[in-house]
Amino acid sequence: MGVITSIIQDELPGVFVHSVQLGSSVGADRNAGFFGNINNQIDTVCDSLSAIEELQDGVNLMGFSQGGLFLRALVQRCPAIRAKVLVTFGAPHGGVARIPECASSGDTLCQWMRQLASKGVYSWYIRDHVIQAQYFKDPERIDQYLQYNIFLPDINGELEERNDVYRERILALDKMVLFKFSEDKMIYPATSSWFGFVDADGNDIPVQNSTMYQEDWLGLRGLEEAGKLSMFSLDGPHMHIGEDVLRSIIAEHFGASDKVVPFYVQN
């Protein structure tokens, strides 16, 4: 995250940057990207951000991989911050129909996560303690997903009792910018980064064809109709962003910003 912070500060001289961390050390932070309760993590980060004076008058957010999903949930749930711009890269906003692969076979934490998840993402222990299980959505078992998933159905407005505040806070954004990767094998389906998903036969469902969008459960249709929702595709696999590309995105979407909160969590 230090590299990203430096790039932001280089592109936006004088900007205040606060990097979100879930643990007290690099190791603890990475462990929290696989194991824990994302609902509790959001509450903890919300409390910590509310204590930062520089963030009280509005903030711009930039999330990478599942960090983008986390920040979007923070926008919806954290009254202590007023989000202006949200930019996410390869975030599984629509959920994943497969538990994310590991970047390498030697990634012990990731392999352990996948081994646990394989035992049943909707079992009480795994659904409460494995982060990736908390945004897993089996297109062949939607009823079980809605009944047992402890996180994604709520923030995506898929439950019968929807939180109207979530929609209000999304619509209050000045801009939401969603990037997906053209060759993303980590997040399946890749269109999840644009709030899309797949049906039980594996056919892509663009977000515009979803009930969530058409009935505007989250405010996405309202954002798009107001010209405040943008979706772009970046060439390459998951989280492969050239420095020049990242710099141009920061300059374009945060150019007038004096406060940016980045959050990088790579699966």
Side-chain angles (χ1 to χ4, degrees):
M1 182 59 80
V3 173
I4 294 171
T5 297
S6 296
I7 291 174
I8 295 171
Q9 292 172 332
D10 189 37
E11 287 297 316
L12 308 174
V15 69
F16 176 83
V17 180
H18 174 79
S19 298
V20 174
Q21 288 187 297
L22 298 175
S24 57
S25 66
V26 173
D29 193 58
R30 189 163 192 276
N31 185 79
F34 292 108
F35 305 108
N37 184 306
I38 196 168
N39 294 307
N40 295 338
Q41 291 176 348
I42 289 168
D43 289 343
T44 299
V45 171
C46 179
D47 289 342
S48 68
L49 294 183
S50 67
I52 301 174
E53 183 178 352
E54 291 86 349
L55 302 181
Q56 301 313 304
D57 295 329
V59 64
N60 298 298
L61 306 170
M62 182 165 61
F64 299 84
S65 195
Q66 72 183 31
L69 175 62
F70 187 106
L71 287 184
R72 194 256 296 180
L74 194 74
V75 169
Q76 296 172 221
R77 289 183 174 178
C78 183
I81 63 168
R82 184 173 69 83
K84 297 179 178 179
V85 177
L86 173 65
V87 176
T88 67
F89 298 86
H93 291 296
V96 292
R98 299 173 187 161
I99 292 296
E101 299 287 340
C102 300
S104 72
S105 58
D107 189 334
T108 304
L109 279 176
C110 181
Q111 295 293 348
W112 186 24
M113 174 277 292
R114 286 182 53 79
Q115 184 177 357
L116 283 173
S118 70
K119 300 181 184 299
V121 292
Y122 300 136
S123 65
W124 71 268
Y125 181 85
I126 293 170
R127 71 177 187 178
D128 289 353
H129 295 87
V130 175
I131 296 295
Q132 287 71 20
Q134 292 159 32
Y135 56 84
F136 179 82
K137 181 178 181 178
D138 187 340
E140 297 183 2
R141 296 193 292 167
I142 294 298
D143 288 347
Q144 291 185 44
Y145 157 75
L146 294 174
Q147 183 176 358
Y148 298 116
N149 188 293
I150 66 169
F151 171 68
L152 194 67
D154 175 61
I155 66 158
N156 278 1
E158 296 174 286
L159 301 176
E160 289 186 9
E161 293 187 11
R162 299 186 183 94
N163 190 328
D164 291 337
V165 172
Y166 293 173
R167 182 175 184 273
E168 293 170 5
R169 292 180 65 81
I170 291 292
L171 284 170
L173 287 168
D174 294 335
K175 179 165 49 175
M176 177 188 284
V177 185
L178 309 174
F179 290 92
K180 79 175 183 69
F181 294 92
S182 63
E183 301 173 30
D184 201 329
K185 306 299 182 187
M186 182 81 70
I187 300 299
Y188 174 80
T191 52
S192 176
S193 297
W194 290 349
F195 283 89
F197 205 60
V198 290
D199 62 21
D201 296 319
N203 301 308
D204 278 340
I205 305 173
V207 64
Q208 290 83 357
N209 292 353
S210 69
T211 306
M212 176 180 67
Y213 180 91
Q214 293 172 355
E215 296 186 0
D216 210 17
W217 296 345
L218 286 186
L220 296 177
R221 193 186 74 194
L223 271 187
E224 188 161 46
E225 290 175 350
K228 299 195 293 183
L229 174 63
S230 300
M231 304 180 192
F232 301 102
S233 181
L234 295 175
D235 292 335
H238 187 71
M239 290 313 305
H240 281 241
I241 311 171
E243 183 176 324
D244 289 345
V245 172
L246 182 59
R247 286 180 178 276
S248 67
I249 290 170
I250 291 169
E252 178 179 358
H253 299 295
F254 299 124
S257 173
D258 59 351
K259 302 162 192 170
V260 177
V261 173
F263 185 32
Y264 186 97
V265 177
Q266 184 165 349
N267 308 76

